[in-house]
Amino acid sequence: MEMKDFSLEGKVAWITGASYGIGFAIATAMHKAGAKIAFNDIKEELVEKGLAAYKAEGIDAKGYVCDVTNEEQVQETTQKIINDLGKIDILVNNAGIIKRIPMVEMTAKEFRQVVDVDLNAPFIVSKAVIPGMIKQGHGKIINICSMMSELGRETVSAYAAAKGGLKMLTRNIASEYGEYNIQCNGIGPGYIETPQTAPLRVPGNPFNEFILAKTPAHRWGKTEDLMGPAVFLASDASNFVNGHVLYVDGGILAYIGKQPQ
Ligand code: NAP
Ligand code: GCO
């Protein structure tokens, strides 16, 4: 193994839903490793906000307005990225939503909305980019899973079902396209400080203390904690890693909880 195997020089990476949050951090890391960056968001103003944020970091990212649940928009955006940047070597299915509602109070429409973004969209975007990856003889797909790919908790039934399904979609893409030198892996972030978890971190919310107690590192994760794992899974250094979900959770999944004193 050579250290250059961790480089993304000459690669093109598409990170979905990456105007901010985890996607923005992963895109920044991949830029630092040498990749050209494409990202999308669902709203023009968010794409503009993202472009300004990338520029502030010295990143000449390409931004696209695309709803990842809309197959026509995804197909069009895929072709635009290839026209603009020549190819797509790395796909990060990052775009995601959560609705925290007790299951019996959740409408079927709300359940479907979460599954549509968190599970159906990674299928739609992966389906759009895999043919090009087969043609070029290589590709990397990274699906952003979750603690809820393994665990349940109150009020997140749709999200857990979607992220559990995303773990299995990851394994199935690895199984079906591994022979074309395409590696599909997941990253399972723990509890990370982003807008999505802001409601859980408000002062006085007992959930905040709960997560700190359940995490051996006794801290919330930062988006920076995901940068190295993402570059590893996007690089040639992980070419024999396939169908794996790498949990970046500070040890939550390994920990039964602090023993009563
Ligand atoms: P976030 O702050 O809510 O950002 C999600 C991004 O996805 C936003 O830019 C959002 O755009 C975009 N998006 C949502 N629906 C979309 C659609 N239909 N088409 C295109 N873009 C769409 O979330 P985050 O915390 O960075 O999480 C990113 C990913 O990590 C998600 O898949 C999440 O489930 C997962 N995750 C997060 C944590 C955590 O603790 N934060 C832990 C584990 C996994 P809008 O602003 O327009 O909605
Ligand atoms: C929640 C949180 C989690 C995190 C993440 C954990 O309400 O429990 O939002 O779901 O977002 O998915 O890995």
Side-chain angles (χ1 to χ4, degrees):
M1 184 211 80
E2 303 290 335
M3 288 317 290
K4 67 178 173 56
D5 292 344
F6 289 88
S7 170
L8 302 184
E9 283 296 337
K11 303 290 188 185
V12 173
W14 177 12
I15 302 90
T16 68
S19 294
Y20 56 86
I22 286 172
F24 184 86
I26 289 176
T28 301
M30 292 185 174
H31 163 78
K32 288 176 186 285
K36 289 182 182 173
I37 302 303
F39 77 99
N40 70 290
D41 225 306
I42 199 167
K43 301 170 193 133
E44 175 68 38
E45 60 268 27
L46 266 179
V47 172
E48 293 306 320
K49 173 187 167 191
L51 285 170
Y54 284 113
K55 188 175 181 182
E57 295 290 328
I59 302 173
D60 179 23
K62 297 282 187 192
Y64 304 85
V65 179
C66 173
D67 176 351
V68 291
T69 66
N70 181 310
E71 188 159 22
E72 186 179 347
Q73 288 185 29
V74 167
Q75 293 284 351
E76 287 170 0
T77 302
T78 302
Q79 196 50 56
K80 284 177 184 173
I81 294 171
I82 292 171
N83 293 344
D84 292 345
L85 297 173
K87 55 178 178 168
I88 298 170
D89 299 294
I90 302 156
L91 168 65
V92 181
N93 284 308
N94 167 77
I97 63 172
I98 191 168
K99 292 182 186 292
R100 300 183 182 93
I101 305 167
M103 195 183 91
V104 297
E105 296 170 25
M106 181 177 248
T107 65
K109 181 181 178 185
E110 289 166 327
F111 190 96
R112 288 193 189 99
Q113 285 171 334
V114 176
V115 173
D116 212 15
V117 180
D118 294 4
L119 178 56
N120 296 345
F123 157 75
I124 288 169
V125 185
S126 299
K127 175 187 166 189
V129 306
I130 283 172
M133 290 179 169
I134 291 173
K135 198 177 297 180
Q136 67 192 17
H138 66 268
K140 295 283 188 179
I141 297 174
I142 300 170
N143 292 322
I144 307 301
C145 297
S146 163
M147 295 284 90
M148 277 52 217
S149 296
E150 302 292 346
L151 303 170
R153 82 173 186 86
E154 299 80 2
T155 76
V156 296
S157 59
Y159 185 83
K163 293 296 188 178
L166 185 57
K167 175 177 72 172
M168 287 314 301
L169 179 63
T170 299
R171 290 180 177 167
N172 215 76
I173 292 171
S175 304
E176 195 165 359
Y177 296 102
E179 68 177 284
Y180 302 102
N181 191 29
I182 294 170
Q183 292 84 48
C184 181
N185 292 288
I187 287 177
Y191 281 82
I192 311 294
E193 293 175 346
T194 73
Q196 190 246 51
T197 55
L200 304 175
R201 288 180 281 109
V202 294
N205 184 338
F207 194 87
N208 182 53
E209 294 310 312
F210 170 68
I211 287 302
L212 294 175
K214 281 289 285 178
T215 308
H218 295 316
R219 67 172 175 87
W220 280 76
K222 299 190 177 305
T223 56
E224 291 79 3
D225 291 320
L226 299 163
M227 290 173 129
V231 169
F232 166 64
L233 289 177
S235 73
D236 289 340
S238 61
N239 282 352
F240 206 55
V241 179
N242 212 3
H244 181 73
V245 178
L246 177 56
Y247 287 97
V248 185
D249 66 352
I252 295 179
L253 280 178
Y255 187 41
I256 194 170
K258 202 162 191 64
Q259 301 172 44
Q261 300 302 321

